[in-house]
Amino acid sequence: MKDEQIVALFWEKDEAAIRNSDTKYGKSLHRISFNILANREDSEECVNDTYVKAWNAIPPERPLRLFAWLGRITRNLSLNRFYENHAKKRGGQALVLLSELSDCIPAGQTVEEEVEGKLLTEAIVRWLESRSEEERALFLGRYWFGESLASLALLAGTDPNRLAGRMFRLRQSLKDALEKEGITI
């Protein structure tokens, strides 16, 4: 079923929207969540909460790219759950991923920083568009889907140490591009 049809089902408050979303994107949403949480039960809850949020948000929202929209919800819910679960203890895959990006992406908390966050998002999209398809896939695989370096290295046909160096160079390239656009780190 096409995304537009699924969104139309959400719009009509037809429960088939959730079934079709889960059929089409459920595995990917679970992967996003599990890569952050490393816990099947929490991941399942986050994906279910994603569908509830989608149900409540459509209408009035009408997402153009359903998977990206659902993925963002899942990712945010999973990160929130991760922080709740690790409020007193530190460690885990999500903190590793966030710490890798902390040198090139500032954290935003005030209204001004949220506006800057939108500009940052646009700058990152421009930077990603300037990269090769393979580099985009590696970057998004690591920092959006939370894939391990080992699994990405296997897909890229290289070893994890070489890939770690390549990921460092990609982050450095992103940092340089952001600085050229006047986004301070």
Side-chain angles (χ1 to χ4, degrees):
M1 180 172 272
K2 293 184 178 179
D3 286 359
E4 299 83 27
Q5 294 169 308
I6 296 172
V7 170
L9 290 172
F10 272 112
W11 199 266
E12 297 166 5
K13 295 299 184 191
D14 185 335
E15 291 180 12
I18 293 173
R19 285 190 304 276
N20 285 301
S21 296
D22 192 53
T23 299
K24 189 169 183 180
Y25 298 122
K27 284 184 180 181
S28 296
L29 297 175
H30 280 88
R31 189 179 82 211
I32 290 169
S33 186
F34 186 78
N35 284 342
I36 293 169
L37 296 169
N39 180 296
R40 296 226 183 273
E41 292 82 18
D42 284 351
S43 297
E44 183 70 31
E45 262 186 63
C46 287
V47 172
N48 288 337
D49 289 349
T50 296
Y51 297 137
V52 170
K53 282 193 173 280
W55 184 265
N56 292 330
I58 302 172
E61 289 203 42
R62 191 178 285 272
L64 298 175
R65 292 184 212 111
L66 185 60
F67 175 67
W69 189 75
L70 292 172
R72 186 185 75 227
I73 293 170
T74 301
R75 187 171 188 274
N76 289 340
L77 288 170
S78 299
L79 287 170
N80 289 343
R81 174 68 58 92
F82 177 85
Y83 291 128
E84 287 172 17
N85 291 348
H86 295 83
K88 293 182 182 172
K89 56 184 177 181
R90 297 291 173 231
Q93 180 69 4
L95 288 180
V96 171
L97 295 174
L98 294 173
S99 70
E100 286 179 6
L101 286 176
S102 67
D103 291 338
C104 52
I105 298 178
Q109 294 178 352
T110 66
V111 173
E112 293 83 11
E113 288 172 334
E114 284 194 31
V115 170
E116 290 174 2
K118 184 169 176 57
L119 297 173
L120 173 64
T121 300
E122 292 168 359
I124 292 172
V125 168
R126 282 191 298 277
W127 175 80
L128 280 170
E129 289 172 346
S130 75
R131 311 309 319 163
S132 71
E133 188 174 328
E134 182 183 20
E135 287 177 331
R136 281 194 305 268
L138 288 171
F139 192 85
L140 291 173
R142 180 75 172 140
Y143 300 113
W144 175 257
F145 291 105
E147 295 290 339
S148 69
L149 282 175
S151 66
L152 286 174
L154 192 64
L155 290 172
T158 188
D159 67 89
N161 289 334
R162 284 186 198 260
L163 185 61
R166 189 171 180 189
M167 297 306 290
F168 173 79
R169 289 186 296 280
L170 278 172
R171 290 191 308 273
Q172 190 60 49
S173 171
L174 173 60
K175 181 179 179 182
D176 294 344
L178 294 175
E179 286 175 350
K180 283 180 186 172
E181 292 205 25
I183 298 173
T184 55
I185 309 304

